[in-house]
Amino acid sequence: MLYLVSWTIPMENRDAAIERFLKNGALPHAAVKLLGRWHAVGHMLGFGLAEAESPIEIQRWMMQWNDLLDMQVHPALTDQDLAPLMMELMQQKQAALNR
């Protein structure tokens, strides 16, 4: 499953977060595949896309950072995953109109 991860770094934790990042690269453990990570220019915030079989593995990774960063994690769908659901919704709406 895909997970969108976002974080902000409170200014008082900036230096500690930088030191930890430089020490270990903020890479997740083997059960989580980091697909990409982006950092906002001029701000202490960023976004990542990760893949894992279980949300427990994502939480394990987040617990390595949530003492310094304010983090949010959201399960994510691809366009290919979402399109059939949108089609189903539109078909249900059309069926309701035809009753």
Side-chain angles (χ1 to χ4, degrees):
M1 178 159 213
L2 295 174
Y3 295 89
L4 295 170
V5 179
S6 63
W7 61 88
T8 58
I9 305 171
M11 192 53 70
E12 62 270 14
N13 294 344
R14 184 194 71 174
D15 291 351
I18 289 171
E19 288 174 7
R20 188 178 297 175
F21 180 87
L22 292 174
K23 183 178 178 181
N24 67 19
L27 295 176
H29 57 283
V32 175
K33 182 178 180 183
L34 181 61
L35 301 175
R37 181 170 46 205
W38 299 267
H39 307 272
V41 175
H43 297 280
M44 297 304 295
L45 64 96
F47 305 89
L49 180 63
E51 186 173 25
E53 291 294 320
S54 167
I56 291 171
E57 300 305 331
I58 296 293
Q59 180 63 26
R60 184 172 283 127
W61 179 36
M62 296 301 99
M63 289 175 64
Q64 296 173 4
W65 285 95
N66 63 11
D67 61 321
L68 296 176
L69 282 57
D70 296 325
M71 307 186 80
Q72 293 187 359
V73 178
H74 303 280
L77 298 173
T78 65
D79 288 351
Q80 292 80 13
D81 295 330
L82 185 57
L85 299 174
M86 291 190 285
M87 180 65 75
E88 181 182 318
L89 173 66
M90 298 311 291
Q91 289 170 347
Q92 289 172 353
K93 289 183 83 167
Q94 187 62 44
L97 290 173
N98 292 335
R99 289 186 197 150

